[in-house]
Amino acid sequence: MGASQSARTEHEFQDLADRTGFSLEQIGNLNKRFRQLSKNEETLSRQDLASISALDNNPLRAQIINAFFDKRNLRQNEAGTVQVIGFEEFLMVMSHFRPAAMHITEEEREKLRREKLRFVFNMHDTDSDGTITLEEYRRAVEELLSKAGTIGQETAKAIADAAMLEVASTTRGKMEPDEFYEGITFENFLQILKTFDIETRMHVRFLNMDTATMRCGK
Amino acid sequence: MIYDRVTIKLLEGLCHKPPKFQNGVKIVLLLLLYQMKLAVNFLTIGLVILSLPCGSYTEIPPKPPGSVTVLPPVKPAGGPQAFPDAENSNLPVFTMDYARIQVPFEVTLWVLLASFAKIGFHVYHKITFWVPESCLLISIGLIVGAIMHSVHEEPPAVLSYNVFFLFMLPPIVLESGYFMPTRPFFENVGTVLWFAVVGTLWNSIGIGMSLYAVCQIEAFEVQDINLQENMLFAAIISAVDPVAVLSVFEDVSVNEQLYIVVFGECLFNDAVTVVLYNMFIFVADMPVVEPVDVFLGVARFFVVGLGGMGFGVIFGFVASFTTRFTSNVREIEPLFIFMYSYLAYLVAELFSISSIMAIVTCALTMKYYVEENVSQRSCTTIRHVVKMLGTISETLIFFFLGVVTITTEHEWNWGYIMFTLLLALVWRGLGVLVLTQIINPFRTIPFNFKDQFILGYGGLRGAISFALVFTLPDSIGRKKLFVTTTICMIMFTVFIQGISIRPLIEFINVRRTNRNLETINVEIHSRLIEHTIAGVEDLCGQWSHYYWKDKFLKFNNRILRKILIRDNRAESSIVALYKKLELQNAMEILDTVSGDINAGSSIVSLQYVYPLCPSSSCSFSLSLSLSLSLSLSLSLSLSFAFSLACSPSLSFSLSVSHSLAPSLACSLSLSLSLSLSLALSCSLSLILLLSLSLALPLLLALSLSHSLALSFALSLSLSLPLSLSLSLSLSLSLSLSLCTNDTHTLWPCPSLCVSLCPPCCLSYTSLHLIHPSSLTHYPFNLNRSDGYLSNTSRRVGIWSIYQG
């Protein structure tokens, strides 16, 4: 890469840093990783991510990979998925996992919470209709429990049902006999996870050092 | 007392009295309960007075650790004597030998006294809310100490070195180790160790140096305390005490991070305290300190710390391995836990390494594997006994702190004491500030200033410091001054800091974590987020502690679980939580009705009642009862619940008595039941329930005799649902009833009732409980536990469960 190339990337990185909030070193590291995964291409496709061997044991593998290609996570207010993503989109999805800064105001904290919870919500809501229906929740729980030993499908279903019931009772209270609970909306989702301190738990500590080369293999 | 012929029917709701009975039952039981409360208070005072002339333990000089102290029985002066031998050699009818039972008797009385004090505090809820129990116990101890001092009695040597460290401390530390929340602990282990080790060192050295500087001031007349003695004293009082901290922090709720750091710090600073204490004792005798000694001290610290943890882990694994094979000796399973942890403690004491760390690590390691191997009952027993022993120890320790405060000799020195208090506070505050600044960048959730304040303010000192200072060798000239200063320090921190910490936490609005709320959704999402983070980290190619956690979990699943657990199917925590919540719900339902598990069954029950009444005219009655009830149950969870329920039931009964004078009685019974139930669920369609319920049915029997009876029944019932639609229940109940007869006396009448109830109308009732429309959308499987329905007489709505 020539000097002009690196100057351009410097400028780009600065731009990205401003937009996503990462530091320059972090962006540099992530860029290296991106190049490694995409085999030096400009864009990343699903197969590239699927080929990471370390992800094989993760029960949520498919959902995580899908999350990267979900348009809703890319700050575009439309539904659907893309086939390939560029580095900028990669960073955007990653920015959902940034830790909270030490001194932020209450509103910023709230905003951060909403953002992270929105990510999780999108992971569940596969048909992008804005609610998590029973079927979707069931699928999520089954995936989650799939690697956890000999759990029957019935149990997973029952757990998802119980969870749904819990949401219904917390958000709706006493329901009339004719009412039908259609699904968890985003507001309900926020409500049931009120006690869950997601802003502190959902973060990846993006290092400033380059650790990608310290691990052998991907 | 004349027992008339009586037929007492049990919780079925009917009590048939022969015509001779009259009205006049008082609601004695409520009165009895009320009187019990008063009696407790009287008993407390009575016990105090009783224990005074009972002699005392003699003060045993501290023996080298490792030997068990045996207290010789002491014949009390002026105590009750056995009857003097008569001049002739007749057989004495009544003898008394106090000396023989003296030691256990006094131990029991002291424990009871302290426990009664604890009961007494809870009579007024407001007190225990604002004043932590430790303060109240110390106050009572002070009073008792004053009484003992005024009659010139010596208190038992509970806070002597051996008794304290070998018997009083292990239960408390075991309790804290066993109930330590593991996940937050391991996430914060770096911070915990940082504060424990570096923090304690900082405090000791800082306080020691400053006290030495203070000693140089002539006005305080303490110039004879040299540097080594000051450092020794500083090492003793700078350690944060687990007993005091736990008793205060248990009631206040702070955020999880803060709690675990304070909690962990007070347990793990023992290593540093042990090393510093031994080092300075050793050094205090020597005239010159060489640099090599400091280096040796550091080496010793590693031996002590790592050795303690190593022993703990080894014993933990051995204990887990042992419990793998105990499936046929379930009764003694809890024993292994206690013996192995105590062994870990003693072996660590043997080598003079940190015994507290050993027992804590042993409990941490053991808990996870053992709880999968032992039966549910053993698990409950273990938890309960651990808590009980810990509470007793803690109660006794605070109590005796109060007692000993009065009875030891003091030497007061305003300057030294005031400066110690001040310096301790200052250095702790500084220490917390500096250390947090250093470690915050490494933490995922940094501590803000409010957290730091509570961290510093929550550093309470307690009985460990006292025990250590009490056993200082007498070669230290100013030992009494040290004792007095330590006591002042403890009183100050426990009273002032302990009482004020709750309002302060509310005032400065520290971040709280609601520890009690466990919902399935939160659990599901916790796991989800963890997996997501692990996945994203893999994607980024980065390491973090999730990586290590993942690695450890894999190692655990592949190797450790296979060796240490009998049935090593892995179970997700979500499923475990789900099962637990299910059982809880089931228990709640059962407990709202189970008090009258025999009362009001929905079927015809055939009962044979043979009252074992010691009367000349026993009556024999066969009664048939038909009662109408609507029932429902929902279960499949394992829990232990305690509930108070009220359930009306209507029952008819026909009884035939000895005198062959049949009478028909209709009774409306209102039963108030207090039940304790334990349910064990084996599979989806077979449920075994064992419940013990204590019921107080208040019966209004509109019988021909217009008599009222109060019956107190203890019933044990076993019900076995055989399939979804058929269940058979066998219940055995023993009841003790208080009834009146025409002479207006109350007498107990035990009776045994065996009833066999086939079921009816199960499927119908279950449908009522869920909104019909929601059935189609949430086919939540309620029918699994239909077997209970025959025994319940209450309709419980599903929504009310989840809203409750």
Side-chain angles (χ1 to χ4, degrees), chain A residues 4-218:
Chain A
S4 61
Q5 183 95 333
S6 55
R8 182 178 63 106
T9 42
E10 273 286 330
H11 178 70
E12 264 177 29
F13 284 1
Q14 188 56 49
D15 193 31
L16 286 172
D18 295 330
R19 269 195 288 163
T20 55
F22 284 118
S23 73
L24 282 175
E25 298 88 4
Q26 289 171 338
I27 294 191
N29 285 330
L30 287 171
N31 191 32
K32 279 207 199 89
R33 180 67 179 167
F34 184 81
R35 298 240 163 242
Q36 197 182 21
L37 287 176
S38 67
K39 301 180 195 45
N40 270 326
E41 305 270 319
E42 284 292 328
T43 58
L44 202 60
S45 72
R46 281 219 165 97
Q47 283 83 323
D48 297 324
L49 287 184
S51 64
I52 301 177
S53 57
L55 272 183
D56 284 340
N57 287 330
N58 200 315
L60 295 177
R61 187 163 164 258
Q63 273 101 327
I64 296 175
I65 296 181
N66 278 338
F68 275 86
F69 294 92
D70 192 338
K71 276 202 201 150
R72 290 171 295 175
N73 291 335
L74 301 176
R75 320 267 167 143
Q76 302 164 17
N77 290 330
E78 35 184 87
T81 59
V82 292
Q83 291 302 335
V84 292
I85 54 171
F87 182 55
E88 191 179 321
E89 285 91 21
F90 184 71
L91 275 186
M92 273 204 205
V93 176
M94 285 294 190
S95 71
H96 283 102
F97 289 92
R98 264 186 27 243
M102 239 184 84
H103 304 287
I104 56 174
T105 65
E106 268 308 309
E107 325 167 336
E108 283 173 22
R109 184 182 286 277
E110 196 48 46
K111 195 159 148 281
L112 197 62
R113 268 181 73 85
R114 284 187 81 98
E115 206 182 287
K116 296 193 193 254
L117 282 172
R118 187 86 223 175
F119 185 85
V120 179
F121 188 82
N122 289 341
M123 260 175 74
H124 286 307
D125 184 17
T126 45
D127 59 359
S128 314
D129 62 353
T131 55
I132 304 179
T133 62
L134 184 62
E135 276 310 315
E136 287 168 346
Y137 209 11
R138 269 195 198 148
R139 230 176 301 134
V141 173
E142 271 170 32
E143 285 294 316
L144 194 56
L145 293 180
S146 59
K147 291 266 162 63
T150 57
I151 310 293
Q153 218 195 11
E154 282 300 313
T155 319
K157 246 171 53 139
I159 292 177
D161 293 343
M164 251 339 219
L165 215 51
E166 213 176 63
V167 177
S169 61
T170 326
T171 54
R172 288 281 205 93
K174 233 173 160 45
M175 275 174 43
E176 295 307 310
D178 299 334
E179 270 187 81
F180 166 44
Y181 188 62
E182 1 18 59
I184 312 181
T185 63
F186 186 56
E187 293 305 318
N188 293 347
F189 195 66
L190 284 178
Q191 209 178 339
I192 56 171
L193 290 184
K194 222 176 1 170
T195 58
F196 186 59
D197 50 347
I198 194 171
E199 66 269 16
T200 47
R201 297 232 211 160
M202 181 167 151
H203 68 272
V204 172
R205 216 179 327 179
F206 294 103
L207 300 177
N208 291 334
M209 287 188 319
D210 181 13
T211 55
T213 51
M214 292 196 323
R215 275 178 70 172
C216 22
K218 295 190 204 173

Side-chain angles (χ1 to χ4, degrees), chain B residues 140-448:
Chain B
I140 301 276
L142 284 172
I143 298 174
V144 172
I147 298 177
M148 292 194 87
H149 190 65
S150 56
V151 298
H152 298 293
E153 287 284 342
E154 283 286 321
V158 166
L159 292 182
S160 72
Y161 187 74
N162 278 342
V163 175
F164 181 75
F165 279 104
L166 291 181
F167 298 113
M168 309 292 290
L169 193 60
I172 298 180
V173 190
L174 178 63
E175 185 203 344
S176 22
Y178 201 80
F179 289 108
M180 185 181 305
T182 21
R183 195 161 50 84
F185 175 69
F186 282 114
E187 283 173 7
N188 288 297
V189 73
T191 316
V192 164
L193 288 178
W194 174 253
F195 274 104
V197 174
V198 180
T200 315
L201 269 176
W202 169 282
N203 275 332
S204 316
I205 296 179
I207 297 179
M209 297 284 188
S210 346
L211 272 179
Y212 183 59
V214 165
C215 286
Q216 303 305 95
I217 301 177
E218 284 189 17
F220 298 135
E221 300 162 6
V222 284
Q223 275 166 318
D224 52 330
I225 309 181
N226 58 15
L227 181 64
Q228 282 96 322
E229 289 179 355
N230 269 314
M231 298 289 282
L232 175 63
F233 178 63
I236 294 175
I237 63 159
S238 66
V240 175
D241 184 76
V243 184
V245 166
L246 285 175
S247 67
V248 165
F249 268 79
E250 222 166 30
D251 303 322
V252 299
S253 62
V254 291
N255 66 53
E256 205 175 45
Q257 307 291 320
L258 195 55
Y259 177 74
I260 203 71
V261 170
V262 176
F263 197 176
E265 180 197 347
C266 63
L267 286 176
F268 285 89
N269 64 15
D270 180 59
V272 180
T273 312
V274 164
V275 171
L276 284 178
Y277 183 78
N278 288 325
M279 193 162 83
F280 288 125
I281 287 241
F282 189 71
V283 154
D285 292 335
M286 285 171 26
V288 174
V289 181
E290 295 171 16
V292 90
D293 289 321
V294 177
F295 177 68
L296 285 175
V298 172
R300 183 165 165 71
F301 163 71
F302 280 106
V303 166
V304 163
L306 295 174
M309 288 205 270
F311 272 112
V313 170
I314 292 176
F315 275 101
F317 281 142
V318 174
S320 319
F321 191 63
T322 314
T323 51
R324 188 179 163 178
F325 302 106
T326 55
S327 48
N328 293 323
V329 284
R330 295 279 188 197
E331 298 83 19
I332 60 169
E333 266 172 343
L335 192 69
F336 291 108
I337 313 300
F338 299 112
M339 293 297 113
Y340 276 110
S341 26
Y342 198 44
L343 255 184
Y345 187 83
L346 292 176
V347 168
E349 280 283 321
L350 168 66
F351 292 110
S352 295
I353 57 182
S354 169
S355 44
I356 293 185
M357 282 179 81
I359 201 173
V360 169
T361 7
C362 184
L364 272 176
T365 328
M366 200 162 56
K367 174 173 174 177
Y368 174 67
Y369 300 107
V370 158
E371 291 204 338
E372 297 217 21
N373 277 335
V374 300
S375 71
Q376 186 60 33
R377 257 207 207 122
S378 303
C379 189
T380 314
T381 310
I382 293 171
R383 285 173 177 240
H384 202 77
V385 174
V386 163
K387 259 222 160 324
M388 184 180 78
L389 289 177
T391 313
I392 294 179
S393 262
E394 180 191 320
T395 312
L396 280 178
I397 287 179
F398 281 118
F399 189 75
F400 280 103
L401 257 179
V403 171
V404 158
T405 305
I406 306 275
T407 55
T408 49
E409 296 173 21
H410 292 291
E411 181 191 329
W412 187 267
N413 182 312
W414 275 105
Y416 198 73
I417 293 177
M418 290 298 140
F419 265 101
T420 309
L421 289 177
L422 184 70
L423 287 170
L425 271 177
V426 164
W427 279 102
R428 178 146 179 97
L430 271 179
V432 166
L433 267 171
V434 171
L435 293 179
T436 327
Q437 286 306 110
I438 299 179
I439 197 145
N440 255 343
F442 295 99
R443 280 183 59 81
T444 51
I445 306 173
F447 282 136
N448 55 22

Side-chain angles (χ1 to χ4, degrees), chain B residues 75-126:
Chain B
K75 198 107 175 114
Q81 304 281 333
F83 277 5
D85 272 27
E87 298 78 37
N88 50 15
S89 56
N90 283 344
L91 182 71
V93 174
F94 179 71
T95 58
M96 215 163 118
D97 181 5
Y98 184 68
R100 188 165 155 249
I101 58 145
Q102 179 178 2
V103 169
F105 186 69
E106 289 179 10
V107 168
T108 316
L109 277 184
W110 278 109
V111 173
L112 268 180
L113 177 62
S115 311
F116 277 128
K118 230 169 134 76
I119 297 181
F121 297 146
H122 287 279
V123 172
Y124 300 109
H125 295 295
K126 288 290 183 185

